[in-house]
């Protein structure tokens, strides 16, 4: 699909207004930090999404930190997938994901 950051921005706007979507799979779409920040903003305001898959994209700590912050208030997402060698998550991002995992024992983070 290769929606990249522009498409991810649109997804974020959609998520902030949507109340029916349960799963969103955006793996392998060349989404960078800017796009993931927009998705995170949409996730923060969404109460229906259960699964978010962002594996095999091109974001790093900035995107992961935005997701971690959004998921502090969003309680509906039970599975977040960000694995993949294309993602450039460093120590700061990994620490944020681990803290998020520890704060909610039922949420799965891959």
């Amino acid at each position: 699909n290769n929606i990249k950051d522009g498409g991810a921005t649109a997804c974020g706007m959609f998520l902030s207004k949507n109340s029916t979507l349960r799963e969103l799979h955006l793996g392998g779409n060349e989404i960078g930090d800017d796009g993931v920040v927009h998705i995170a903003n949409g996730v923060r305001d969404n109460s229906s999404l259960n699964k978010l898959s962002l594996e095999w994209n091109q974001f790093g700590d900035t995107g992961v930190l935005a997701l971690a912050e959004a998921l502090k208030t969003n309680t509906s997402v039970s599975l977040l997938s960000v694995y993949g060698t294309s993602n450039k998550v460093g120590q700061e991002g990994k620490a944020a994901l681990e803290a998020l995992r520890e704060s909610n024992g039922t949420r799965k983070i891959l």
Side-chain angles (χ1 to χ4, degrees):
N1 291 339
N2 293 332
I3 66 167
K4 302 183 181 179
D5 288 342
T9 299
C11 286
M13 291 173 19
F14 169 79
L15 283 171
S16 68
K17 295 174 179 17
N18 181 274
S19 62
T20 58
L21 186 68
R22 302 283 182 242
E23 295 185 21
L24 182 59
H25 300 274
L26 293 172
N29 276 291
E30 297 183 25
I31 301 171
D33 283 317
D34 289 342
V36 173
V37 167
H38 287 284
I39 290 170
N41 289 337
V43 165
R44 182 182 307 113
D45 299 329
N46 184 290
S47 61
S48 64
L49 192 66
N50 294 319
K51 297 179 183 177
L52 178 59
S53 298
L54 293 167
E55 65 275 349
W56 301 100
N57 280 290
Q58 298 177 349
F59 59 90
D61 287 344
T62 301
V64 168
L65 292 172
L67 285 169
E69 190 63 31
L71 292 174
K72 286 180 183 177
T73 56
N74 175 302
T75 58
S76 68
V77 175
S78 60
L79 174 66
L80 172 66
S81 178
V82 295
Y83 71 86
T85 58
S86 298
N87 294 336
K88 301 167 181 82
V89 180
Q91 289 305 99
E92 187 177 15
K94 289 176 185 175
L97 290 174
E98 185 58 33
L100 187 61
R101 184 180 292 118
E102 290 174 2
S103 71
N104 183 335
T106 60
R107 181 176 282 155
K108 292 184 180 180
I109 301 174
L110 307 172

